[in-house]
Amino acid sequence: MVVFIVKSNTAKTKFLLKDLPGSGKRIDILCRCVNSAFCLSHDIRKDVILYLCFAGKTIKFVGKELKHLTPDERGIAILIRKALEGNPTPGVYVSEKSFQDTLLESGKEIIYLDERGEDISHLKLKKDMCFVLGDHLGFDREDQKILEKIGKKISISPKILHADHCIIVVHNFLDRS
Amino acid sequence: MVVFIVKSNTAKTKFLLKDLPGSGKRIDILCRCVNSAFCLSHDIRKDVILYLCFAGKTIKFVGKELKHLTPDERGIAILIRKALEGNPTPGVYVSEKSFQDTLLESGKEIIYLDERGEDISHLKLKKDMCFVLGDHLGFDREDQKILEKIGKKISISPKILHADHCIIVVHNFLDRS
């Protein structure tokens, strides 16, 4: 089971479907992370768990239980909204767990993505890892401190990529390993 | 300059912003391909040209000229709609050129993605290649015939990925090469 944890410093729990980046303070990135984590052509990756941590909430998506997931941003934003309103669809769970508690609970080897890290090709990849990603602003100082203590810093590209693109690249390394 | 050509067999030129997958017959995939081709964190890939071929139209996006590109699907759908309505934003060009003419005009080495192709790691990558991708239905028989004649069939993953995810993986191979 591969786990992804995405932390957003800006995203909001209230947003307009017709303005996800503005009204949701870049919740569009988190929607695309759901797509990247689970969507295959005509299939869902069942061996993935994704946590989105933002605005004091953590939304957990469990691949093998997911239903009604469509790959489009608006469809995923509707799933997130339903979950936040207390009507989650199967496989989606909302809690008030902090990012740091989510990290500590994963019980897996923590790999956090940072362009200054060691290249992923040097990492002995296992399906049983937890990959941690920041948003367009990166990790804040407090999160960074914890990650430095418990995780390994890995780079996946010489370019700085969006979190949803990073998930695709990590999947490709895992799929090929 | 890396070129991507994406052919959709279903996407339509008229669509509702609040229902891109349904009303646009999977134009959401094409919107995400624009994001994948160009969007870096806080930057645009200027050395990329993307062609979207669908419904008898070809929309060309030129990285170094692009303005007003946002990474969200809805924002990109608005750019596509403006271009189709004759009010393109900078770097976006609409023509009635066919998919096959677009292929032949690229003048570059043609690589088409197919899960039965040779693995991309065996390919000598150059920045000056043209990568061709199908939609969720793959290439139709006629397109397939031409691609077999003029292109090289390459696989990028043991899984079958969406076109927008394929673009991310190809970029990662190029960025690392």
Side-chain angles (χ1 to χ4, degrees):
Chain A
M1 188 72 69
V2 56
V3 174
F4 293 97
I5 303 177
V6 184
K7 166 78 187 285
S8 167
N9 294 304
T10 63
K12 296 174 82 94
T13 56
K14 303 264 182 211
F15 46 80
L16 300 172
L17 293 175
K18 65 179 183 183
D19 180 21
L20 295 173
S23 68
K25 299 274 181 202
R26 304 313 315 271
I27 198 152
D28 60 308
I29 298 180
L30 299 184
C31 295
R32 288 196 296 279
C33 285
V34 177
N35 168 315
S36 297
F38 296 106
C39 293
L40 290 169
S41 186
H42 309 290
D43 206 359
I44 291 281
R45 291 186 187 264
K46 293 186 181 60
D47 56 346
V48 173
I49 290 176
L50 167 70
Y51 296 90
L52 303 179
C53 303
F54 65 106
K57 304 277 183 189
T58 290
I59 311 187
K60 179 181 183 183
F61 296 79
V62 180
K64 66 180 181 202
E65 299 174 17
L66 279 179
K67 283 193 179 139
H68 315 304
L69 177 67
T70 56
D72 62 304
E73 264 169 50
R74 192 177 189 278
I76 294 168
I78 291 171
L79 240 62
I80 290 176
R81 174 183 280 179
K82 277 188 181 167
L84 288 167
E85 287 175 351
N87 298 305
T89 44
V92 186
Y93 303 89
V94 180
S95 75
E96 314 227 327
K97 207 171 285 172
S98 70
F99 169 65
Q100 297 173 16
D101 285 344
T102 305
L103 269 183
L104 297 171
E105 267 188 24
S106 91
K108 297 188 188 291
E109 189 176 344
I110 302 275
I111 310 295
Y112 66 105
L113 301 194
D114 186 306
E115 60 273 18
R116 292 154 299 186
E118 195 183 351
D119 190 74
I120 191 171
S121 61
H122 304 153
L123 185 69
K124 200 168 152 47
L125 283 166
K126 296 178 295 184
K127 300 273 173 199
D128 208 38
M129 285 174 152
C130 174
F131 294 88
V132 186
L133 302 96
D135 63 4
H136 59 297
L137 302 177
F139 298 109
D140 65 24
R141 197 171 296 181
E142 205 183 332
D143 294 340
Q144 186 79 33
K145 257 196 203 155
I146 291 172
L147 285 167
E148 281 170 11
K149 205 181 287 176
I150 64 171
K152 196 173 164 75
K153 182 160 68 176
I154 291 292
S155 159
I156 57 163
S157 169
K159 308 268 185 190
I160 306 182
L161 307 182
H162 283 278
D164 55 311
H165 295 180
C166 293
I167 293 176
I168 297 297
V169 174
V170 169
H171 268 320
N172 192 251
F173 272 93
L174 289 169
D175 291 340
R176 306 171 73 83
S177 72
Chain B
M1 187 72 70
V2 57
V3 174
F4 293 98
I5 303 177
V6 184
K7 166 78 186 283
S8 167
N9 294 303
T10 62
K12 297 173 83 97
T13 56
K14 303 264 182 211
F15 47 81
L16 301 172
L17 293 174
K18 65 179 186 184
D19 180 21
L20 296 172
S23 69
K25 299 274 182 204
R26 304 313 314 272
I27 198 150
D28 60 310
I29 298 180
L30 299 184
C31 294
R32 289 195 297 278
C33 284
V34 177
N35 167 317
S36 297
F38 295 107
C39 293
L40 290 169
S41 188
H42 309 289
D43 205 359
I44 291 281
R45 291 186 186 264
K46 293 185 181 62
D47 56 346
V48 173
I49 290 177
L50 166 71
Y51 295 90
L52 303 179
C53 302
F54 65 106
K57 303 277 184 191
T58 290
I59 310 186
K60 179 180 183 181
F61 297 79
V62 180
K64 67 178 178 201
E65 300 173 15
L66 279 180
K67 284 195 179 136
H68 315 305
L69 177 66
T70 56
D72 61 305
E73 266 168 48
R74 192 176 188 278
I76 294 169
I78 290 172
L79 241 62
I80 290 176
R81 175 184 279 179
K82 276 188 182 167
L84 288 168
E85 287 174 350
N87 297 306
T89 45
V92 186
Y93 302 89
V94 180
S95 74
E96 314 227 327
K97 208 172 282 171
S98 69
F99 168 65
Q100 297 173 15
D101 284 344
T102 305
L103 268 183
L104 296 171
E105 264 189 30
S106 92
K108 296 188 189 291
E109 190 177 343
I110 302 276
I111 309 294
Y112 65 105
L113 300 193
D114 185 307
E115 60 272 19
R116 292 155 297 186
E118 196 183 352
D119 190 74
I120 192 170
S121 61
H122 304 153
L123 185 69
K124 199 169 155 44
L125 283 166
K126 295 177 297 185
K127 301 273 172 198
D128 207 39
M129 285 174 152
C130 173
F131 293 88
V132 185
L133 302 95
D135 64 3
H136 60 297
L137 302 176
F139 298 110
D140 66 23
R141 196 170 296 181
E142 206 182 331
D143 293 340
Q144 186 78 34
K145 256 194 201 160
I146 290 170
L147 287 167
E148 281 170 12
K149 206 182 285 176
I150 63 169
K152 196 172 164 76
K153 182 160 69 178
I154 291 292
S155 160
I156 56 163
S157 168
K159 308 268 185 190
I160 306 181
L161 307 182
H162 283 279
D164 55 311
H165 295 180
C166 291
I167 293 175
I168 297 298
V169 173
V170 169
H171 268 321
N172 192 252
F173 272 93
L174 289 169
D175 290 342
R176 306 171 72 84
S177 71

